[in-house]
Amino acid sequence: MNGFKNELENNILAFWIDKMQDTEHGGFYGQIDGNNALHSEANKGAILNARILWTFSSAYRILKKKEYLDMAQRAFDYITAYFLDREYGGVYWELDYKGNPVSTKKQTYVQGFMLYGFSEFYRATGNKQALELAKEFFYLIEKCHDDKLGGYLEAYTQDWKPIEDMRLSDKDANEKKTMNTHLHVLEPYTNLWRVWDNEQLKAAQKRLIGIFTERILDKKTNHLNLFFDEEWNVKSTAISYGHDIEASWLLFEAADVLGDRDLLAEIKNISLDIADAASEGLQAEGSMIYEKDGNHIDGDRHWWVQAESVVGYMYAYKNSKDIAYKEKAARIWNYIRNQIVDQENGEWYWSRKEDGTINQKDDKAGFWKCPYHNGRMCMEMIEHFDLK
């Protein structure tokens, strides 16, 4: 397995540097569609901007190239100038192309991604404002914690009141607690712990890991349940193979940074069980399909699912020494290079459809299509597995 550094620098990061900087209104454009057309007046999403901040901060931390620092700084400056809600705290969900808020709801999920970006920018640069913002967002997210029943509530109005529509996107169930939000609170808490030794953070991280093992994980199947009501009753039968494999390594990482040997040993075994369950989604050519709900199978090969599968199986290999996991990762990486990377226009396609054709309906870059999953895959391979 090789080519990760080349893919990261000459395809993924180069695409965002060359094609996504909004030189007129600041920050980054909101969309390049699946036909590679730029929409310069598309709205700008907080998820996209937080993930750009994380990606280029991490790239600068690992590779020390000034152009990556410049991009990270650009993202940080735009977020702090336009996305921060200076009256009520947190960040807005969506802005127009000029930087005016168009959706002011507060999704716990995106507050987590901003924390992720701020903490990584601090790791990369030592910027004190970034660390203070990361701490501020930690305390903000902790206010979303359900002290009675556990876990984090999904969404609020701008001023942090209850909200009727809690969904991240149209395809999600409108429930008060979700696996996805908990996963992307766990992930930034892991990163914040690397730079901030704080007992409340440590307790919150341990509690979150417990939520996964006791509430979210289906102990019969080792898949993750996706949607829950306030009392943790399961409200979905769907299996998300991408989230399974992503969670398998993020859970291990979360336990690993805490330095608790007993907890780490427990989570290492659970992580391998989840990776094995995710393998039900692997296909003959090496790819991973999206999800299954009852008899309905969504056979699209999404870009982010393939990227997370490479990382997840490499962690499974590291933790088990079973070469079969590494072989799975290698086959998926081969599939990515041959089927998901856009060799002509740069970056990755959103997905290949089940019939093998390219999905051009969904974005090349946009509200949800960011350099984070594929960029992080490359950086994980470079930094933790010494695969250039």
Side-chain angles (χ1 to χ4, degrees):
M1 291 173 70
N2 54 36
F4 293 103
K5 190 169 183 288
N6 179 62
E7 176 60 26
L8 176 68
E9 295 206 78
N10 297 324
N11 185 30
I12 299 167
L13 300 183
F15 177 94
W16 290 83
I17 293 171
D18 295 343
K19 299 185 179 182
M20 284 297 285
Q21 294 187 71
D22 185 344
T23 54
E24 184 176 357
H25 296 104
F28 301 89
Y29 293 119
Q31 184 188 21
I32 291 178
D33 67 25
N35 292 304
N36 297 290
L38 172 66
H39 296 251
S40 61
E41 297 186 1
N43 286 352
K44 299 180 176 185
I47 292 292
L48 172 62
N49 282 267
R51 290 173 170 181
I52 290 172
L53 173 60
W54 182 88
T55 301
F56 280 96
S57 297
S58 188
Y60 176 67
R61 181 178 59 78
I62 295 168
L63 300 170
K64 297 290 186 286
K65 292 193 175 179
K66 185 179 182 297
E67 58 261 43
Y68 304 153
L69 173 60
D70 291 344
M71 288 287 282
Q73 187 70 56
R74 182 182 187 87
F76 182 76
D77 291 345
Y78 191 86
I79 288 166
T80 53
Y82 294 98
F83 275 102
L84 290 182
D85 183 341
R86 301 191 187 282
E87 184 175 3
Y88 295 108
V91 290
Y92 306 121
W93 180 245
E94 187 175 5
L95 311 176
D96 69 14
Y97 72 99
K98 293 181 178 179
N100 303 302
V102 294
S103 175
T104 59
K105 68 176 180 174
K106 301 292 170 57
Q107 296 281 160
T108 306
Y109 178 98
V110 79
Q111 314 309 320
F113 266 104
M114 284 294 174
L115 196 169
Y116 199 35
F118 292 143
S119 60
E120 190 65 16
F121 190 59
Y122 175 74
R123 287 183 77 198
T125 66
N127 182 298
K128 296 287 177 55
Q129 183 189 2
L131 180 59
E132 291 309 307
L133 281 166
K135 293 176 183 179
E136 178 185 318
F137 273 62
F138 166 70
Y139 290 121
L140 192 72
I141 292 168
E142 285 306 294
K143 289 181 180 177
C144 304
H145 185 259
D146 182 346
D147 293 334
K148 182 180 177 183
L149 298 166
Y152 295 86
L153 297 172
E154 189 71 9
Y156 301 85
T157 61
Q158 180 182 356
D159 57 352
W160 301 97
K161 300 291 194 305
I163 191 170
E164 188 172 325
D165 187 352
M166 297 186 139
R167 297 174 299 166
L168 270 179
S169 68
D170 292 343
K171 69 179 184 61
D172 290 320
N174 188 24
E175 297 294 345
K176 291 189 174 182
K177 295 173 183 175
T178 72
M179 176 283 306
N180 202 9
T181 287
H182 284 80
L183 187 62
H184 296 297
V185 171
L186 182 80
E187 168 188 69
Y189 280 14
T190 297
N191 213 43
L192 185 56
W193 178 253
R194 293 184 169 115
V195 295
W196 186 40
D197 186 348
N198 175 273
E199 285 303 312
Q200 188 178 345
L201 172 60
K202 185 177 185 179
Q205 182 79 326
K206 285 191 172 184
R207 190 177 62 213
L208 246 176
I209 292 170
I211 287 290
F212 270 90
T213 58
E214 298 305 316
R215 296 290 194 183
I216 294 175
L217 179 68
D218 184 329
K219 294 182 180 180
K220 293 180 181 177
T221 66
N222 292 315
H223 292 296
L224 303 179
N225 289 309
L226 302 182
F227 297 97
F228 308 84
D229 65 17
E230 196 166 356
E231 297 178 343
W232 289 105
N233 296 302
V234 178
K235 306 297 283 186
S236 169
T237 58
I239 294 167
S240 174
Y241 299 112
H243 284 115
D244 281 348
I245 196 66
E246 183 182 18
S248 74
W249 76 269
L250 287 177
L251 266 174
F252 172 80
E253 181 189 51
D256 189 34
V257 299
L258 290 175
D260 181 328
R261 287 187 177 183
D262 292 339
L263 177 63
L264 184 60
E266 176 193 354
I267 296 303
K268 184 183 285 189
N269 289 329
I270 290 172
S271 169
L272 291 170
D273 289 341
I274 297 172
D276 288 339
S279 298
E280 294 167 16
L282 287 174
Q283 301 301 296
E285 84 283 72
S287 67
M288 178 81 81
I289 61 171
Y290 184 52
E291 67 178 22
K292 177 182 178 182
D293 192 353
N295 292 322
H296 174 71
I297 294 173
D298 184 335
D300 272 22
R301 277 69 160 170
H302 288 234
W303 97 96
W304 71 269
V305 175
Q306 314 315 312
E308 295 300 336
S309 295
V310 171
V311 184
Y313 286 123
M314 285 303 293
Y315 269 89
Y317 167 64
K318 173 184 173 181
N319 288 332
S320 69
K321 302 297 186 288
D322 184 343
I323 195 69
Y325 291 118
K326 187 175 184 179
E327 290 169 351
K328 288 175 182 177
R331 294 187 72 214
I332 297 165
W333 175 226
N334 188 58
Y335 177 84
I336 289 168
R337 290 195 289 184
N338 291 322
Q339 301 294 331
I340 300 296
V341 173
D342 186 341
Q343 306 286 357
E344 183 179 350
N345 298 295
E347 245 285 348
W348 295 13
Y349 305 120
W350 181 287
S351 67
R352 288 270 180 178
K353 298 178 184 178
E354 193 168 6
D355 63 8
T357 57
I358 297 167
N359 170 10
Q360 292 179 295
K361 179 175 70 72
D362 290 301
D363 292 337
K364 174 66 71 68
F367 204 96
W368 292 101
K369 183 67 162 54
C370 318
Y372 142 82
H373 287 289
N374 51 4
R376 185 171 68 177
M377 177 204 74
C378 294
M379 288 185 277
E380 282 289 326
M381 295 305 106
I382 294 166
E383 186 176 21
H384 296 125
F385 297 96
D386 198 29
L387 294 171
K388 299 295 192 289

